[in-house]
Amino acid sequence: MNFVFISPHFPSHFFHFVTALRERGVTVLGIGDAPYESLRQELRDSLREYYFVPSLHDEDALTRAAGYLTWRHGRLERIDSLNESWLEVEARLREDFHVPGLHPADIHRMRSKSGMAQVFQQAGVPHPDLIRVRDAAQVKQFAARVGYPLVLKPDVGVGAANTFKVASDADVDTALAHPLPTTYVAQPFVRGTIVTYDGIVDRHGVIVFTLSHEYSDGGMETVVERRDISFWSHLEIPPALDVLGRQVVEAFGLRERWFHLEFFRLPDGRFVVLEANLRPPGGFIPDMMNYTCDIDVYRLWARVMTGDPVADFRYTPRYHVCHSARRHGRRYLHSHDEVVKKLGPAFLLHRELPPIYHSLLGEEMYLSRHTDLDAMREAVRFIQATKK
């Protein structure tokens, strides 16, 4: 199998996906915007060939790269990056080179929030009301029907970038004093806890692995208010969430893909879906999954991509694995050494994060795992305690 992996070097831990494919005998062909010499050795050893492009936003350059790799190695059988940013260009390349997978006709309903909302509605999955908006008058008209506060966000976007809340007509006038740079959507602001439904579906549409995580805060609040965020894995998926998650995966017709579905758990315990992401969960959650279940999701995904049997795959969530973030410039009560000592055997990893993660995940993070949920929460409070 000739597998083109776009941006195999970023995020940094994605090299594990490439090495897992190579272990299964796949010819992995990389296209990236980092010089070959800068790639880590394990990645270079796992790539049959690497094509450098100055910018992954240059679609003509990516087309030329795929054409060159076809000339060199024969028919391309898979093209992927596992990255939200390149979903559209991947789809166009698959169509141009007759590669299986998502094509441009599939992307709108799977990437735009308005498209997702239509799928959720058709599948009967509860979802906050949503409309596309371009100006203040449309937002006010929507608010007159559903009430304030509202959340405004780009119809196509990643995470909580360029997302904001409005609580009155005056807020709308201020926020939209200048024309919106792109099509936005408006939704009622939902008060609830974000929980996820994450996993992998095989080429037959069968979910072979799934896990749920809970966030301490919403993405918008974390970005806008620069809150410290933490999130952790659940040992069990609530049955109602599992039912809805499976409905969404089936409604989108996913095959050979990761999925990262975000839901709100409302105060009364009900779940409503927020959005669907066709990629692994962000940050270091794939590693958290491994620590939670003592498995290797990189190798599991590679088995799915090569069509190898996964019926024998078994896993049991054993630990609450937690990401706890801190931000530079904030005065924390406990030093790094004190945190490491406090966590003791639960401490897994401390890492300074790249700037692209700072708005949501913080500048540095600790990973720890706990068998007891209360002990995990105590650890988070210790890590994120600030000086008065």
Side-chain angles (χ1 to χ4, degrees), residues 138-379:
Q138 290 178 306
V139 177
K140 292 176 183 178
Q141 187 176 28
F142 182 61
R145 177 162 63 87
V146 303
Y148 285 112
L150 301 176
V151 174
L152 303 180
K153 50 190 174 183
D155 193 18
V156 177
V158 180
N162 303 311
T163 298
F164 49 93
K165 183 169 70 171
V166 291
S168 66
D169 286 356
D171 284 353
V172 174
D173 289 333
T174 300
L176 278 65
H178 301 287
L180 292 170
T182 184
T183 300
Y184 265 57
V185 297
Q187 282 183 295
F189 177 78
V190 178
R191 290 176 174 82
T193 300
I194 292 182
V195 294
T196 70
Y197 189 77
D198 306 314
I200 301 172
V201 60
D202 72 10
R203 62 181 52 184
H204 305 294
V206 176
I207 295 175
V208 298
F209 169 73
T210 188
L211 200 64
S212 178
H213 298 83
E214 181 170 328
Y215 287 66
S216 60
D217 282 299
M220 182 182 67
E221 294 87 348
T222 302
V223 171
V224 174
E225 301 174 23
R226 290 187 58 80
R227 296 183 185 179
D228 287 341
I229 192 171
S230 58
F231 43 87
W232 55 91
S233 52
H234 286 162
L235 298 187
E236 296 181 356
I237 299 177
L241 177 62
D242 188 56
V243 169
L244 294 176
R246 291 178 182 275
Q247 282 182 246
V248 172
V249 170
E250 182 178 358
F252 278 102
L254 300 183
R255 299 291 187 274
E256 288 186 348
R257 289 207 73 86
W258 277 91
F259 55 85
H260 170 58
L261 313 181
E262 295 182 358
F263 290 80
F264 281 116
R265 185 180 64 228
L266 305 180
D268 62 5
R270 291 182 298 119
F271 294 94
V272 296
V273 66
L274 175 60
E275 64 181 44
N277 300 278
L278 312 182
R279 55 168 173 79
F284 291 86
I285 292 183
D287 295 301
M288 292 172 60
M289 291 172 156
N290 289 339
Y291 284 121
T292 295
C293 304
D294 287 330
I295 57 174
D296 189 324
V297 296
Y298 303 103
R299 288 182 167 131
L300 174 63
W301 172 81
R303 288 171 63 180
V304 166
M305 296 307 295
T306 55
D308 292 330
V310 293
D312 62 339
F313 176 72
R314 298 289 184 272
Y315 66 98
T316 301
R318 293 184 173 88
Y319 305 97
H320 297 284
V321 177
C322 183
H323 164 117
S324 304
R326 305 215 295 193
R327 297 183 183 274
H328 294 317
R330 189 161 293 165
R331 300 176 69 239
Y332 290 96
L333 187 61
H334 305 291
S335 69
H336 168 73
D337 290 342
E338 290 173 321
V339 168
V340 172
K341 183 177 180 180
K342 171 68 174 180
L343 292 178
F347 176 66
L348 296 173
L349 177 69
H350 169 260
R351 181 163 296 179
E352 300 283 331
L353 296 177
I356 193 171
Y357 292 133
H358 289 181
S359 63
L360 181 59
L361 300 183
E363 282 85 358
E364 60 176 330
M365 65 93 172
Y366 293 88
L367 285 189
S368 56
R369 68 177 179 178
H370 311 263
T371 54
D372 181 75
L373 190 58
D374 289 336
M376 185 213 71
R377 289 174 171 152
E378 180 186 354

Side-chain angles (χ1 to χ4, degrees), residues 31-98:
I31 302 176
D33 57 1
Y36 178 77
E37 296 75 18
S38 69
L39 305 183
R40 62 188 303 153
Q41 190 62 50
E42 301 99 317
L43 180 55
R44 283 189 281 175
D45 291 344
S46 298
L47 292 170
R48 177 68 62 83
E49 188 160 359
Y50 179 76
Y51 192 106
F52 169 76
V53 294
S55 171
L56 289 172
H57 295 284
D58 185 342
E59 294 184 16
D60 289 339
L62 289 173
T63 301
R64 289 193 297 273
Y68 170 82
L69 294 172
T70 300
W71 173 72
R72 286 272 293 166
H73 301 278
R75 181 176 180 271
L76 307 179
E77 295 169 86
R78 296 292 186 275
I79 299 174
D80 215 326
S81 70
L82 303 180
N83 194 307
E84 191 88 11
S85 300
W86 317 121
L87 274 178
E88 292 181 0
V89 70
E90 289 168 12
R92 281 192 283 272
L93 289 173
R94 291 190 196 103
E95 186 169 72
D96 290 345
F97 291 88
H98 307 288

